[in-house]
C-alpha cells in the first residue's frame, strides 16, 4: 500500500494536490477537514462541537479526529492506499496513526510537506473565502489564528516523520501542475 501524509499550513495546497494524487494513484482521500465539514453539514453532535472550534481557527480535540480516521481505515480495508490530508496535525495524532496502521499491518510510506509563506497563505485563503462559504476563510484574524495554531501545535509533526526518515519538503508556491510533478517524483522514488 502507498500511504502518504500530505502536510503543510492552512492554504498550502494540500486539498488541491490531493485531488490530482487520488486520480493518478487511485488512493483513498482522507481529509479530516472535509470529514468535519461533513459532520457540520449533517448537523451531528460532533459537528456542532467541531464548528465552534473551527470557526475560531482552533484545532478540534485529538480524540475526535483519531476516531474519525479509525472508522475510515476500517471501512476501506482493501484499497491501494490512503492520502492523509490535514491529518496528523499534532504529535499525539501522528502516534495514534502509526498505531492504527500497525494494527492493520500497514505503515506511512512517506510525508510530503508543502512550504508556503504566511503572506501567500493569507492571500489564498481570503480569496477562497470569497466563494467557499467557509467562515474560517473569510476573516484575516481567524486565518492568522489558524497559522499560529499550525506553528505551535502542528510543525512538531514534521520532526516526528523526519526522525523516521520520511520527511520530504517541497516549495508550495508556483503552478499547481509544477508542484504536482515534484510530488509525483518523490512518490515514484519510493514506489
Ligand atoms: P482543513 O480542511 O484541513 O483546511 P486547510 O488547512 O485550510 O487546508 P486545505 O487543504 O483546505 O487548503 P488548500 O491548502 O488545498 O482544516 C480546516 C479546519 O478543520 C482546521 O482549522 C481545524 O479547525 C479543523 N481540523 C482539520 N483537521 C484537523 C485535525 N487533524 N486535528 C484538529 N483539527 C482539525 O488550498 C487553499 C487555497 O489555495 C485554495 O483556494 C486553492 O485553490 C489555493 N491554492 C492551492 N495551491 C495553490 C497554488 N499552487 N497557487 C495558488 N493557489 C493555490
Amino acid at each position: 500500500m502507498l500511504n502518504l501524509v500530505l502536510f503543510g499550513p492552512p492554504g498550502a495546497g494540500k486539498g488541491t494536490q490531493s485531488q490530482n494524487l487520488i486520480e493518478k494513484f487511485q488512493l483513498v482521500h482522507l481529509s479530516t477537514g472535509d470529514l468535519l465539514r461533513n459532520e457540520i453539514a449533517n448537523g451531528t453532535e460532533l459537528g456542532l462541537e467541531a464548528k465552534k472550534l473551527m470557526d475560531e481557527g482552533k484545532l478540534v480535540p485529538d480524540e475526535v479526529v483519531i476516531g474519525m480516521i479509525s472508522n475510515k481505515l476500517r471501512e476501506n480495508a482493501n484499497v491501494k492506499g490512503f492520502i492523509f490530508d490535514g491529518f496528523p496535525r499534532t504529535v499525539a495524532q501522528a502516534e495514534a496513526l502509526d498505531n492504527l496502521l500497525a494494527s492493520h499491518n500497514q505503515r506511512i510510506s512517506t510525508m510530503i510537506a508543502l512550504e508556503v509563506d504566511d503572506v501567500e497563505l493569507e492571500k489564498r485563503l481570503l480569496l477562497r473565502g470569497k466563494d467557499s462559504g467557509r467562515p474560517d476563510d473569510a476573516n484575516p484574524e481567524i486565518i492568522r489564528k489558524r497559522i499560529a495554531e499550525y506553528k505551535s501545535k502542528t510543525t512538531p509533526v514534521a520532526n516526528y516523520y523526519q526522525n523516521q526518515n520520511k520527511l520530504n519538503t517541497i516549495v508550495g508556491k508556483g503552478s499547481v501542475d509544477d508542484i504536482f510533478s515534484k510530488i509525483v517524483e518523490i512518490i515514484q522514488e519510493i514506489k
Side-chain angles (χ1 to χ4, degrees), residues 10-16 32-33 36-37 54 58-60 65 85-87 89 93 120 124-125 128 134 136 146 172 174-176 179:
K14 305 182 293 288
T16 305
T32 38
L36 290 166
R37 281 185 289 276
M54 289 168 77
K58 295 179 182 162
L59 294 183
V60 306
V65 284
D85 162 6
F87 179 90
R89 260 178 158 96
Q93 292 179 21
E120 171 76 9
R124 286 184 189 179
L125 294 174
R128 183 172 67 182
R134 276 178 58 170
D136 60 342
R146 288 161 65 195
S175 84
V176 169
I179 296 163

Side-chain angles (χ1 to χ4, degrees), residues 51-189:
K51 182 170 169 38
K52 260 189 278 168
L53 295 162
M54 289 168 77
D55 287 356
E56 289 172 19
K58 295 179 182 162
L59 294 183
V60 306
D62 287 339
E63 54 275 19
V64 172
V65 284
I66 292 166
M68 290 192 316
I69 291 287
S70 170
N71 290 340
K72 289 288 165 191
L73 290 182
R74 244 198 326 269
E75 286 166 21
N76 292 278
N78 295 310
V79 296
K80 290 191 173 176
F82 295 95
I83 297 185
F84 297 96
D85 162 6
F87 179 90
R89 260 178 158 96
T90 63
V91 171
Q93 292 179 21
E95 288 167 349
L97 179 59
D98 273 351
N99 291 335
L100 279 173
L101 288 173
S103 71
H104 294 266
N105 292 319
Q106 292 298 328
R107 56 199 274 282
I108 289 298
S109 314
T110 201
M111 170 196 252
I112 294 165
L114 298 170
E115 264 186 355
V116 179
D117 60 84
D118 294 0
V119 174
E120 171 76 9
L121 295 175
E122 196 174 322
K123 206 170 74 185
R124 286 184 189 179
L125 294 174
L126 280 173
L127 189 69
R128 183 172 67 182
K130 284 186 183 165
D131 48 29
S132 70
R134 276 178 58 170
D136 60 342
D137 281 346
N139 176 334
E141 241 174 74
I142 304 292
I143 290 173
R144 279 179 221 135
K145 172 73 189 163
R146 288 161 65 195
I147 295 172
E149 285 273 274
Y150 171 81
K151 286 182 179 162
S152 65
K153 296 180 183 161
T154 306
T155 49
V157 174
N159 291 337
Y160 179 87
Y161 287 98
Q162 168 111 65
N163 290 339
Q164 299 184 7
N165 284 322
K166 290 179 182 170
L167 172 64
N168 299 278
T169 303
I170 291 182
V171 174
K173 253 171 112 167
S175 84
V176 169
D177 287 349
D178 285 349
I179 296 163
F180 180 61
S181 301
K182 289 184 200 152
I183 297 175
V184 170
E185 251 174 59
I186 293 171
I187 296 172
Q188 308 285 23
E189 270 170 33

